[in-house]
């Protein structure tokens, strides 16, 4: 999305609050559920503000076509898709350039966390389906996909948690929503492996000074660490809930 840059609408009011009432460094409410699709090997559902996203994992499994298999590791394939009813105006269901780009960066963000060498000659398919979008869907999708991969039992060296920061009305803000993305000045989505302490995705749409970049980067990392705590709790709730509390 191109940045309009300095729109006249008050994206931040005199009290320093944003259009949806959040403080500058406040995340939207987040909810994560694990293991809700019976047919998938692993699945997760995330609500990130108004974003509603399903992630499904199939594999490790046999590769078709066979020649795309690798002798020494599994092939990770990711598909990010926005459903036609996920936006205010019906979205064309055909994959757009944006969806192809997000599918690629999503694969690159997840791959470092996976022990793909444990599964030679197989493939792991990750499907991220956006049911309702509201800005920051690539980050929410990556976070859901990482949980779905863990739910599928794929060997991982860490989870991957993602969050964006940005610049709106000349101020750095955490977790940019759709209005802020469209009318704001910059969007900086990042993904991290929180325990390995590595960044696996970093994109920047718009412009930031060095100082703004440093602040937005640190805020996005802090945001991703909060997302990680929720991913962890969701997985613990699913696999280590006291007996009788299981919901499937
Ligand atoms: P992200 O969702 O990761 O922030 P973008 O910055 O590219 O990705 O998009 C920001 C937001 O713009 C999306 O979350 C979505 O709400 C909206 N958007 C993207 N593509 C479309 C589209 N084809 N039609 C309507 N809204 C869209």
């Amino acid at each position: 999305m191109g940045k309009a840059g300095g729109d006249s609408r008050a994206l931040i009011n005199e009290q320093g609050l944003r259009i949806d009432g959040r403080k500058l460094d406040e995340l939207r409410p987040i909810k994560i559920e694990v293991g809700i699709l019976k047919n998938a090997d692993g699945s997760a559902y995330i609500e990130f503000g108004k974003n509603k996203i399903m992630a499904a994992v199939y594999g490790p499994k046999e590769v078709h076509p066979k020649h795309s298999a690798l002798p020494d590791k599994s092939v990770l394939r990711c598909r990010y898709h926005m459903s036609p009813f996920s936006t205010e105006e019906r979205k064309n269901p055909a994959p757009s350039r944006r969806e192809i780009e997000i599918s690629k960066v999503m694969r690159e963000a997840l791959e470092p966390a996976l022990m793909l060498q444990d599964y030679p000659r197989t493939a792991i398919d990750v499907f991220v389906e956006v049911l309702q979008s509201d800005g920051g869907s690539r980050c929410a999708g990556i976070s859901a996909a990482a949980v779905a991969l863990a739910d599928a039992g794929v060997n991982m060296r860490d989870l991957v948690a993602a969050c964006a920061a940005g610049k709106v009305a000349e101020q750095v803000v955490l977790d940019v929503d759709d209005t802020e993305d469209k009318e704001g000045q910059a969007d900086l989505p990042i993904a991290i492996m929180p325990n390995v302490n590595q960044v696996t995705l970093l994109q920047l749409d718009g412009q930031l000074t060095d100082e703004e970049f440093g602040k937005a980067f640190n805020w996005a990392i802090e945001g991703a660490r909060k997302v990680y705590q929720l991913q962890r709790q969701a997985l613990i709730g699913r696999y280590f809930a006291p007996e009788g509390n299981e919901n499937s």
Side-chain angles (χ1 to χ4, degrees), residues 167-184:
K167 182 179 172 188
V168 157
E170 304 301 328
Q171 306 241 39
V172 170
V173 295
L174 180 63
D175 183 21
V176 175
D177 71 15
D178 192 33
T179 309
E180 292 176 329
D181 183 67
K182 293 211 167 72
E183 299 181 23

Side-chain angles (χ1 to χ4, degrees), residues 1 3 51 80 82 86-89 91 98 102 133-139 176 178 181-182 187 205:
M1 298 279 121
K3 298 280 159 263
N51 289 293
Y80 164 99
M82 292 211 319
S86 65
T87 55
E88 277 178 29
E89 298 226 349
K91 187 212 149 266
R98 173 179 170 274
I102 295 181
S133 77
D134 185 35
S137 67
R138 78 191 63 204
C139 289
V176 175
D178 192 33
D181 183 67
K182 293 211 167 72
D187 184 22
D205 187 10

Side-chain angles (χ1 to χ4, degrees), residues 20 22 26-30 48-49 51 134-136 175-177:
D20 62 1
R22 277 186 292 155
E26 193 175 334
L27 286 173
R28 289 172 284 183
I30 300 167
F48 208 111
N51 289 293
D134 185 35
D175 183 21
V176 175
D177 71 15

Side-chain angles (χ1 to χ4, degrees), residues 41-180:
D41 293 310
S43 59
Y45 170 71
I46 191 166
E47 288 183 4
F48 208 111
K50 296 195 191 102
N51 289 293
K52 296 186 177 196
I53 301 174
M54 285 289 317
V57 170
Y58 289 80
K61 59 186 185 114
E62 216 176 288
V63 189
H64 298 289
K66 276 217 153 56
H67 64 79
S68 55
L70 296 174
D72 58 340
K73 63 174 189 170
S74 185
V75 180
L76 178 65
R77 303 184 291 204
C78 290
R79 175 197 192 247
Y80 164 99
H81 183 250
M82 292 211 319
S83 76
F85 52 83
S86 65
T87 55
E88 277 178 29
E89 298 226 349
R90 178 183 179 274
K91 187 212 149 266
N92 186 334
S96 62
R97 280 179 56 179
R98 173 179 170 274
E99 288 168 301
I100 294 165
E101 174 223 319
I102 295 181
S103 300
K104 174 182 180 283
V105 297
M106 193 167 267
R107 177 172 53 74
E108 290 168 352
L110 294 166
E111 191 160 338
L114 303 176
M115 314 282 263
L116 295 178
Q117 69 283 1
D118 291 353
Y119 312 102
R121 294 176 297 282
T122 67
I124 300 172
D125 285 331
V126 177
F127 297 93
V128 169
E129 189 70 24
V130 180
L131 307 175
Q132 181 167 285
S133 77
D134 185 35
S137 67
R138 78 191 63 204
C139 289
I142 288 168
S143 302
V147 173
L149 283 158
D151 183 45
V154 176
N155 292 348
M156 297 170 79
R157 50 178 69 86
D158 202 348
L159 274 176
V160 179
C163 189
K167 182 179 172 188
V168 157
E170 304 301 328
Q171 306 241 39
V172 170
V173 295
L174 180 63
D175 183 21
V176 175
D177 71 15
D178 192 33
T179 309
E180 292 176 329

Side-chain angles (χ1 to χ4, degrees), residues 27-32 46-48 139-144 146-147 159-164 174-175 190 192 194 219-235:
L27 286 173
R28 289 172 284 183
I30 300 167
K31 188 175 112 183
I32 302 174
I46 191 166
E47 288 183 4
F48 208 111
C139 289
I142 288 168
S143 302
V147 173
L159 274 176
V160 179
C163 189
L174 180 63
D175 183 21
I190 63 125
I192 58 168
W219 280 17
I221 301 265
E222 281 311 304
R225 289 199 180 280
K226 288 187 181 148
V227 172
Y228 169 63
Q229 290 307 330
L230 298 171
Q231 291 173 306
R232 225 178 138 253
Q233 280 167 21
L235 284 163

